[in-house]
Amino acid sequence: MLSSIGYETFVFESPIGLIYCTFEGGFLIELTLSKGEKKSENFKINTKKITLSPRLKRMEREYPLFLHELSQYFKGKLESFRQPIKIKIGSSFDHKVWAALKEIPYGETITYKDLASRIGSPKAFRAVGNSLHRNPLPIVLPCHRVIASNGNLGGYSAGIEIKRWLLKHERSFL
């Protein structure tokens, strides 16, 4: 996780738990998915009404596009994000892997091996998995759409149950 100096973090309560959204200027620089943390009262996802705390009202004012997009994603009404992002970590290999994630269609999956081939490194499927584990923007850069060649889900930095939920969620809206 990045240092908080010069950054602003908001907590978004989602069906999969708390999502910490960190911004620098107008750019989203990090999303951190909680692993089974209790949900706060900051955000209640409801397809009819969204209730925002005063802090999230400020997020709505300062980062309305991303708050809207994240809400729409969890309602099944958004397939890709337009929020400007800035990647502040990772190697050039990581950046190639993360950029290729944007090309995986909503609700579909590819294998680690296929992703390695797409970036021109067909034998680097283990390195691809390591890069996905370091993905600073899960969901926005949809690493949950990458699975093992044998059809198993593989790993996920926020836990395999969240990966399973995200894939099922996306497929239910196709």
Side-chain angles (χ1 to χ4, degrees):
M1 190 170 211
L2 298 168
S3 164
S4 64
I5 298 173
Y7 304 123
E8 193 153 28
T9 300
F10 298 92
V11 181
F12 179 94
E13 187 173 332
S14 77
I16 59 172
L18 302 179
I19 301 176
Y20 299 87
C21 311
T22 303
F23 293 87
E24 179 184 52
F27 296 94
L28 178 67
I29 60 170
E30 182 177 52
L31 278 186
T32 305
L33 307 179
S34 64
K35 294 181 182 180
E37 294 177 28
K38 284 188 166 185
K39 294 180 179 180
S40 74
E41 294 305 314
N42 287 336
F43 191 90
K44 296 285 185 193
I45 250 307
N46 181 322
T47 57
K48 295 184 177 143
K49 182 180 178 189
I50 294 173
T51 306
L52 298 172
S53 71
R55 183 151 168 85
L56 278 176
K57 284 182 182 174
R58 201 171 106 245
M59 181 182 176
E60 182 179 45
R61 186 174 58 251
E62 295 179 27
Y63 305 102
L65 174 62
F66 188 63
L67 182 59
H68 174 74
E69 287 184 334
L70 204 50
S71 298
Q72 293 299 103
Y73 174 81
F74 283 108
K75 291 176 185 178
K77 297 179 179 179
L78 182 88
E79 295 184 3
S80 63
F81 293 84
R82 294 186 341 248
Q83 168 64 43
I85 63 172
K86 184 189 296 183
I87 305 293
K88 298 184 65 89
I89 63 167
S91 66
S92 60
F93 181 83
D94 291 333
H95 287 239
K96 280 201 275 188
V97 171
W98 299 335
L101 294 172
K102 295 180 201 176
E103 305 305 316
I104 306 170
Y106 180 86
E108 295 183 21
T109 57
I110 66 167
T111 66
Y112 295 98
K113 186 176 179 181
D114 290 339
L115 185 56
S117 292
R118 284 186 184 191
I119 64 164
S121 301
K123 295 182 181 183
F125 52 89
R126 290 188 199 283
V128 163
N130 290 331
S131 289
L132 297 180
H133 186 73
R134 292 187 293 272
N135 178 2
L137 297 167
I139 301 175
V140 173
L141 300 177
C143 55
H144 61 277
R145 297 179 188 157
V146 184
I147 62 171
S149 293
N150 65 5
N152 289 338
L153 294 182
Y156 194 62
S157 60
I160 202 69
E161 287 307 314
I162 291 177
K163 182 174 186 171
R164 185 181 332 277
W165 190 96
L166 291 168
L167 290 171
K168 184 178 177 184
H169 170 72
E170 289 183 5
R171 288 178 181 147
S172 71
F173 290 100
L174 288 178

